[in-house]
Amino acid sequence: ALIEDYGLEFKGRKLEDDIKSDTSGDYETALLSLIRPAPVVWAHALTGAMKGLGTADQLLINFMVLAKEDMMEVRKAFYDLNGKLLEDWIEGDTSGDYKKCLLSLAGRNSEDDISMMPIYWAQRLKDAIFNVDSLKDILVTMPSTAIKRHTAVYEAVYGVPLKKAVEKKCNEESSFSL
């Protein structure tokens, strides 16, 4: 309501245009984020994470998980902002299991909607397999019901039970220490 009142108070001027003309840099970005709808903010954040040389992987996965409630609107806002589908951008900037996970996250709120948090945790578990201490840290922070659900998703996504993957990794590490 305040944003609409701004236009009435200042003879049809738009708050966004005034912010752009009077500010710059991170301050401008922060102010614009406060007045824009959440899907537009997420679209800008996702663009920033993938734009330029390299992809800011940690930012990208976090933004994708956090934007879950508005993913249909985020995809539309992303297209409006970039003229390219979010899925196409992910396809071109990422690879492997990480790409599959991101594409699944980007497809949320579609007709074949599924809960994506287990997919996110399955990806984190797969990454942690390479470091047993990281795996322990992740599993300790999850409630037992979540562990059961996420290990089932891990098996569905990667085709091998988590227990076997961990045992294999532990056996590999112990054979190196001999």
Side-chain angles (χ1 to χ4, degrees):
L2 291 175
I3 295 171
E4 290 84 23
D5 292 344
Y6 185 90
L8 295 172
E9 180 75 25
F10 293 99
K11 299 176 183 149
R13 290 181 9 206
K14 292 183 178 181
L15 181 56
E16 185 167 341
D17 293 339
D18 285 352
I19 290 172
K20 286 179 179 179
S21 67
D22 293 340
T23 61
S24 64
D26 291 339
Y27 184 62
E28 176 185 335
T29 302
L31 289 177
L32 290 172
S33 295
L34 291 172
I35 65 165
R36 289 178 173 155
V40 174
V41 173
W42 288 123
H44 281 273
L46 290 167
T47 300
M50 292 187 283
K51 198 172 189 176
L53 291 175
T55 299
D57 292 322
Q58 287 294 332
L59 286 176
L60 181 57
I61 191 77
N62 286 333
F63 292 156
M64 293 294 290
V65 170
L66 292 171
K68 68 182 173 213
E69 299 301 323
D70 302 316
M71 191 50 71
M72 287 175 59
E73 293 85 6
V74 170
R75 286 192 307 266
K76 182 185 179 322
F78 189 90
Y79 183 80
D80 292 345
L81 179 65
N82 297 294
K84 189 173 182 180
L85 295 174
L86 175 59
E87 293 87 342
D88 291 343
W89 199 316
I90 290 169
E91 190 81 36
D93 270 24
T94 60
S95 62
D97 292 333
Y98 180 61
K99 176 171 72 174
K100 290 178 193 173
C101 182
L102 288 174
L103 289 172
S104 294
L105 291 169
R108 282 185 299 202
N109 299 339
S110 62
E111 292 178 16
D112 48 334
D113 190 20
I114 60 172
S115 172
M116 293 316 301
M117 281 308 288
I119 300 288
Y120 168 74
W121 281 104
Q123 179 64 38
R124 290 216 37 214
L125 289 168
K126 181 166 177 50
D127 294 342
I129 292 291
F130 297 106
N131 182 327
V132 174
D133 290 328
S134 295
L135 179 63
K136 288 180 202 172
D137 291 341
I138 290 171
L139 293 176
V140 166
T141 62
M142 276 194 244
S144 61
T145 55
I147 291 172
K148 289 176 186 172
R149 185 176 68 227
H150 299 324
T151 53
V153 171
Y154 181 93
E155 185 172 352
V157 170
Y158 299 109
V160 62
L162 179 61
K163 183 178 178 182
K164 284 190 178 185
V166 171
E167 287 171 348
K168 179 181 176 195
K169 181 62 180 170
C170 289
N171 289 335
E172 287 173 5
E173 286 185 9
S174 65
S175 67
F176 288 119
S177 62
L178 295 176

